[in-house]
Amino acid sequence: MTHPLLKTLGIADDPRLKGGPGAVETINPSTNEAIAGVILDDAGAYDAAVERAKAAFVKWRMTPAPKRGEVVRRIGLRLREQIEPLGELVSLEMGKIRAEGIGEVQEAVDIADFAVGLSRQLYGLTIASERFEHRMMEQWHPLGPIGCITAFNFPVAVWAWNAMLAAVCGDPVIWKPSLVTPLCAMATHKLCNDAALEAGAPEGLFELVIGADKEVGERMLADRRLPLISATGSCRMGKRVGEVVGARLGRALLELGGNNAMIVMDDADLELAARAIVFGAIGTCGQRCTTTRRLLAQDGIVDGLVDRLVRAYGSATIGDPLDPKTLVGPLINAQSVDAMMSALDEARSLGGEVLVGGDRLDRPGNFVTPAIVRVPRGKAFPVAQRETFAPILYVFTVAGLDEAIALQNGVDQGLSSAVFTTSVLSAERFLSPEGSDCGIANVNIGTSGAEIGGAFGGEKETGGGRESGSDAWKAYMRRQTNTVNYGADLPLAQGIVFG
């Protein structure tokens, strides 16, 4: 039986949902029951999509950027109209609670709005020339068809971060979504592509290819027709992307894992900190790349803060993500549950104390109780050096800010970080060159829930890429420096006289 949301969102009759040999089942993580079978695209379908995108680029690159922005404005309106059913599909297929699912679609709306304004602000510079009667400037041109690979945990927003910016920059986008959440991709693509075509965009501006890594993913990485590959996923996946794309001297925009820490100082507002920790650690059942995974609390307040957190964890409602009372939905699959249990077993073997949670719930679906683990002071704790994509919060006790910053930075990832303090000196130190080494560093707000206006991404094994706001748009364009001689002489730079 076809789920009503697929009918509402207009994909119930998509040929890929007819099932049959080779179809991949997409699973509701709340029940572990199949929602639909999706027939995967093959290499031929991928090549056809790239050729359509190449043809679209020839037209789209010469469309004035504000006209491109008008197309994206229409896309944003379409997403607004369907924000509730699309958000509920995110909850159904990915497992986010309904408020977070709708919030994710709102993020897509917001980046569309941002991109509309950006379409009139693709600025270059005028640069002083050292030569008489010369003018030097730079301008930004469309780059070409973009390959976009997204992960299961943000099946709408991350594509939108890339696609809305790429569209106003003049680039078509070929999207390879996670095979865990293909329905969200199909619904999002249909809404946005239909709106774009109705607004006069060329066919091929947005292409969706749902395929296996071996058949489609590797082909995309090695494809010289795609000057940029934007990839979101694990550090392991990102290393493969960087290796293959780098070998052909293409561009790779990587947004990979995070092992995010929150520092709480003795002078912090503990009520504010506790609220931020709970959302950061258990929101999306710990499956955000910005999830708070390590708490570094100063010794004067750590016991009281932990008591607050244990009480809050005990009151968190776990269940159906479409139920408005639910705060914690399921993990994405049984393998994620197993990974969480394995990490907790390792933590116990190292002397860690599980203060609350850490149970696999005996019910249909992939439900667990979020866990807090107290780490023995001064002991190496390698399990906390790795990102386990599950709701585990490791609590470390620190003497002061120096120790906290060293612990925070002492992991391979560098995505998001936060400090809670009422000291201006501590806050500024945390934000200084000797402070947080992450791409995101917050004061008195949590590690999770970034706004679209700022560039999103991180350092070290997080990949170094930046998506979304600020000047992240430059990744989707090529810079060109121009010098114009409006005189009758031909002086050379650096005062060189030749001949």
Side-chain angles (χ1 to χ4, degrees):
M1 180 178 177
T2 302
H3 196 282
L5 282 173
L6 307 187
K7 295 179 180 178
T8 300
L9 293 164
I11 61 171
D13 295 327
D14 190 299
R16 283 175 287 205
L17 295 184
K18 298 304 180 184
V24 171
E25 286 188 331
T26 177
I27 304 296
N28 178 351
S30 297
T31 63
N32 279 335
E33 296 175 344
I35 306 169
V38 180
I39 298 174
L40 299 185
D41 293 314
D42 59 15
Y46 166 78
D47 284 332
V50 174
E51 288 304 312
R52 288 192 295 270
K54 282 180 59 184
F57 178 61
V58 173
K59 301 176 182 178
W60 194 239
R61 65 186 175 185
M62 293 305 295
T63 302
K67 298 296 184 184
R68 301 194 294 251
E70 172 60 20
V71 171
V72 171
R73 186 185 71 83
R74 298 275 289 275
I75 292 171
L77 291 175
R78 186 64 53 86
L79 288 169
R80 278 184 173 90
E81 293 169 359
Q82 299 294 331
I83 191 168
E84 290 198 3
L86 186 54
E88 289 173 356
L89 182 61
V90 172
S91 296
L92 178 73
E93 190 177 33
M94 188 268 148
K96 286 183 181 179
I97 62 172
R98 186 176 184 275
E100 287 188 275
I102 291 174
E104 177 169 348
V105 183
Q106 182 63 52
E107 200 167 342
V109 171
D110 292 344
I111 197 65
D113 288 349
F114 178 91
V116 173
L118 176 65
S119 69
R120 295 180 182 270
Q121 300 181 77
L122 301 174
Y123 298 139
L125 298 174
T126 298
I127 304 162
S129 174
E130 67 185 67
R131 290 172 280 189
F132 287 98
E133 298 180 318
H134 281 60
R135 179 169 63 87
M136 187 160 56
M137 64 180 184
E138 69 176 26
Q139 57 183 343
W140 295 85
H141 288 313
L143 182 62
I146 305 303
C148 182
I149 300 170
T150 60
F152 76 87
N153 59 332
F154 279 85
V156 175
V158 170
W159 173 79
W161 289 356
N162 286 273
M164 299 303 100
L165 297 192
V168 298
C169 289
D171 305 329
V173 177
I174 301 100
W175 182 12
K176 181 191 177 300
S178 167
L179 298 187
V180 179
T181 50
L183 300 179
C184 291
M186 291 170 65
T188 303
H189 179 261
K190 179 170 176 54
L191 291 173
C192 296
N193 194 51
D194 285 355
L197 293 175
E198 291 167 13
E203 182 184 358
L205 178 60
F206 299 125
E207 291 288 337
L208 175 67
V209 183
I210 304 173
D213 290 345
K214 186 175 182 180
E215 183 85 5
V216 169
E218 290 291 329
R219 194 174 188 86
M220 176 180 277
L221 300 184
D223 196 338
R224 294 181 178 274
R225 295 171 293 180
L226 307 183
L228 170 67
I229 299 293
S230 175
T232 301
S234 68
C235 297
R236 180 186 58 79
M237 181 271 275
K239 290 177 181 178
R240 177 62 181 168
V241 174
E243 175 188 9
V244 178
V245 177
R248 63 176 174 89
L249 298 182
R251 299 187 195 178
L253 193 167
L254 301 176
E255 200 287 289
L256 310 173
N259 193 353
N260 316 294
M262 183 186 295
I263 297 170
V264 181
M265 304 300 293
D266 281 351
D267 59 5
D269 180 332
L270 295 186
E271 175 61 25
L272 196 67
R275 286 161 52 197
I277 294 163
V278 172
F279 173 72
I282 74 175
T284 321
C285 200
Q287 296 171 112
R288 291 179 176 230
C289 50
T290 53
T291 290
T292 306
R293 307 202 181 280
R294 295 175 295 142
L295 171 61
L296 315 176
Q298 204 166 357
D299 43 17
I301 51 89
V302 62
D303 292 337
L305 179 57
V306 166
D307 288 343
R308 286 174 185 252
L309 296 175
V310 169
R311 289 195 299 272
Y313 271 51
S315 65
T317 306
I318 301 168
D320 179 1
L322 287 168
D323 184 337
K325 297 177 182 178
T326 297
L327 289 180
V328 182
L331 286 171
I332 191 64
N333 53 35
Q335 291 80 6
S336 293
V337 177
D338 291 341
M340 178 178 176
M341 297 303 124
S342 177
L344 290 172
D345 287 343
E346 183 177 348
R348 291 186 186 97
S349 73
L350 294 168
E353 181 184 2
V354 180
L355 302 178
V356 65
D359 297 317
R360 185 195 311 251
L361 296 185
D362 185 16
R363 64 171 78 165
N366 309 308
F367 292 98
V368 297
T369 53
I372 298 176
V373 177
R374 191 75 181 262
V375 175
R377 191 163 188 170
K379 184 171 183 179
F381 214 73
V383 68
Q385 300 284 308
R386 306 190 301 270
E387 180 189 37
T388 301
F389 223 53
I392 303 174
L393 178 68
Y394 298 103
V395 180
F396 293 80
T397 303
V398 296
L401 188 59
D402 287 348
E403 182 184 1
I405 290 174
L407 272 174
Q408 178 201 281
N409 294 348
V411 295
D412 292 334
Q413 309 85 0
L415 179 52
S416 189
S417 59
V419 66
F420 274 74
T421 180
T422 53
S423 165
V424 173
L425 299 181
S426 295
E428 291 297 330
R429 174 92 182 285
F430 179 75
L431 300 178
S432 76
E434 64 179 1
S436 171
D437 66 359
C438 297
I440 298 169
N442 296 329
V443 177
N444 294 329
I445 66 169
T447 64
S448 195
E451 299 179 37
I452 60 95
F456 183 89
E459 301 303 318
K460 301 188 292 189
E461 288 195 2
T462 301
R466 293 299 185 274
E467 297 173 318
S468 198
S470 185
D471 65 348
W473 61 270
K474 292 179 178 179
Y476 307 91
M477 304 197 83
R478 57 183 178 90
R479 187 196 308 249
Q480 186 180 80
T481 301
N482 312 125
T483 305
V484 178
N485 178 1
Y486 56 90
D489 295 324
L490 191 65
L492 300 177
Q494 293 84 48
I496 294 172
V497 177
F498 185 76

